[in-house]
Amino acid sequence: MISVKTEEEIGLLREPCGIVRDCLSFVGERIRAGMTTKEVDALVYDFIKASGAEPSCLGYYGYPASACVSVNEVVVHGIPGDRVLREGDIVSVDLCAYKNGFHGDGCRTFRIGEVGPEKEKLVRVTEECFFKAVEGLKAGTPLYDIGYRVQQHAEGNGFSVIRAYTGHGIGREMHEDPSVPNFGRKGTGVRLRAGTVICIEPMIAAGGWRVRVSDDGWTAVTADGKPAAHYENTVVIRDEGVEILTL
Ligand code: MF3
Ligand code: CO
């Protein structure tokens, strides 16, 4: 069931979403070559705790960290560890904060120094996919128009859309209905209602869309080893447009 949040609930959601936004900026100012992905996770844990929130990912279905830190060919759910970030890497940092009984969720892909033209374009196009998706989005828009717009922009730039993972509703639970795919047919799906809160999160690959999950049960890598990027915000559907809570 797709829920509609009251203004009071949206008010409560603003705080965890603001913490996600600020935490992503905080990480962006500090992430650099030579750091391990575990050190990135520690920044996230400390920031969220210091903000009086809880890292929603920690312990979620046994997930062992506060952030997903996904380097280059890792698409999503990269478990932080001893991998050292190097100049030329792209690193997506995906995190959720829980406060006031609500979750906020967001992700950015950071560049470590100069990343070269292919990764540069991939990161840019992935962010653009999000903004294409929210352009014109408002109450009454068919759900799969979001995926249609993401897919048009990604494929129009020679990239592919990851199929195995999607965006989602969010609120008292980190993952609520509906599932929000990054591909789809224009004009199809339920019509979104004002007050629905969703995470729109394009996951875009430079090569093919197939992924493989590593032996750790989480880390999803592209089957062809080409890089992938991820960008996500928590968004409220409004009568006249959207309100982006994590920007
Ligand atoms: N933040 C992710 C999302 O966008 C969820 C991470 S799964 C977890 O849905 F297990 F790491 F929490
Ligand atoms: Co999400």
Side-chain angles (χ1 to χ4, degrees):
M1 202 210 38
I2 305 176
S3 75
V4 164
K5 269 77 178 172
T6 63
E7 282 312 315
E8 191 188 344
E9 290 173 315
I10 293 167
L12 294 171
L13 246 167
R14 282 208 170 83
E15 202 180 352
C17 287
I19 293 167
V20 167
R21 171 198 64 213
D22 294 346
C23 186
L24 289 167
S25 310
F26 178 82
V27 170
E29 286 160 12
R30 284 160 184 80
I31 196 165
R32 56 176 169 73
M35 248 182 186
T36 63
T37 55
K38 214 191 247 171
E39 289 174 311
V40 175
D41 183 63
L43 289 175
V44 171
Y45 177 84
D46 291 344
F47 188 97
I48 291 176
K49 287 299 249 187
S51 307
E54 292 300 322
S56 323
C57 292
L58 188 61
Y60 182 78
Y61 288 98
Y63 188 75
S66 302
C68 300
V69 184
S70 306
V71 185
N72 297 336
E73 75 288 352
V74 181
V75 182
V76 288
H77 302 166
I79 296 180
D82 297 326
R83 185 169 180 166
V84 177
L85 301 180
R86 301 191 325 182
E87 165 104 15
D89 285 344
I90 55 171
V91 188
S92 78
V93 178
D94 185 1
L95 57 98
C96 298
Y98 181 73
K99 194 170 184 182
N100 300 337
F102 286 88
H103 298 271
D105 185 0
C107 175
R108 306 284 179 262
T109 297
F110 300 109
R111 307 161 177 80
I112 306 299
E114 291 292 319
V115 299
E118 188 191 48
K119 286 174 173 171
E120 194 65 49
K121 181 180 171 193
L122 177 65
V123 173
R124 174 177 59 79
V125 168
T126 302
E127 291 180 11
E128 286 169 358
C129 283
F130 170 85
F131 290 99
K132 294 278 178 191
V134 295
E135 203 179 287
L137 179 61
K138 59 180 184 180
T141 301
L143 175 62
Y144 300 143
D145 277 19
I146 294 173
Y148 172 79
R149 285 164 157 271
V150 170
Q151 186 174 21
Q152 285 287 107
H153 192 62
E155 293 179 357
N157 279 283
F159 297 142
S160 63
V161 169
I162 300 298
R163 306 286 201 271
Y165 302 92
T166 68
H168 50 91
I170 191 165
R172 294 190 186 275
E173 304 294 332
M174 182 163 65
H175 293 137
E176 298 185 356
D177 286 342
S179 173
V180 183
N182 292 304
F183 54 92
R185 272 181 52 208
K186 192 179 165 66
T188 66
V190 297
R191 288 179 184 275
L192 291 163
R193 289 184 293 164
T196 296
V197 182
I198 56 174
C199 293
I200 299 176
E201 48 179 318
M203 290 157 265
I204 306 299
W209 53 265
R210 286 188 173 75
V211 299
R212 188 165 9 86
V213 176
S214 314
D215 293 337
D216 63 26
W218 285 100
T219 310
V221 298
T222 55
D224 59 16
K226 296 270 189 78
H230 184 190
Y231 182 83
E232 172 178 24
N233 285 302
T234 300
V235 162
V236 188
I237 307 296
R238 297 293 196 182
D239 283 324
E240 307 297 335
V242 294
E243 184 182 348
I244 303 171
L245 299 178
T246 48
L247 261 191

